[in-house]
Amino acid sequence: MKIINMNEIKEDLILQAAQILTDSLPIGWPTLDDAIDEIKERLIPENVLLAAVEDNEIIGWGGILPQYNGNVFELHPLAVKENMRRNGVGAAIVKALEDAARSRGGN
């Protein structure tokens, strides 16, 4: 498994990430279009979106959004493919996001 920056991925991988979001959190993102819009809206330099990739397939992803003048980072969202849960994928994403938050001045 490799953790990558989602700003560097191609459209087909964004579609995979959107499908994971819809499958994992259908109340928040009931359609694939809703999930794609969420991802594209969050792909701005202030935010960090990271994906766990295995064999050129996204297996989970998450993001951090700066709050309170960049002093606090909100984890939003975190989604892992159902068949990959309980394998450390979410933990690896969160650790990478925590490292990114610290590198941006978060505590």
Side-chain angles (χ1 to χ4, degrees):
M1 172 178 56
K2 184 170 129 182
I3 304 293
I4 63 169
N5 186 322
M6 288 181 62
N7 282 313
E8 300 167 3
I9 66 174
K10 296 183 177 155
E11 192 72 27
D12 61 325
L13 292 182
I14 288 176
L15 185 60
Q16 288 179 21
Q19 188 65 60
I20 293 168
L21 186 58
T22 298
D23 292 345
S24 299
L25 301 162
I27 291 173
W29 298 277
T31 70
L32 195 56
D33 286 338
D34 293 329
I36 290 169
D37 290 345
E38 174 71 13
I39 292 168
K40 289 185 175 180
E41 181 180 316
R42 302 290 175 213
L43 283 174
I44 59 174
E46 294 80 24
N47 301 332
V48 176
L49 299 181
L50 301 177
V53 178
E54 193 168 80
D55 298 325
N56 293 318
E57 180 182 335
I58 291 185
I59 57 174
W61 70 279
I64 55 171
L65 314 176
Q67 304 291 322
Y68 302 103
N69 298 318
N71 294 310
V72 175
F73 291 85
E74 173 187 353
L75 177 64
H76 177 82
L78 177 63
V80 176
K81 283 182 78 168
E82 187 171 7
N83 67 330
M84 297 303 293
R85 294 178 189 158
R86 303 205 179 274
N87 291 315
V89 175
I93 295 167
V94 169
K95 182 187 179 319
L97 290 169
E98 288 174 336
D99 292 344
R102 273 191 290 280
S103 75
R104 291 172 172 238
N107 297 330

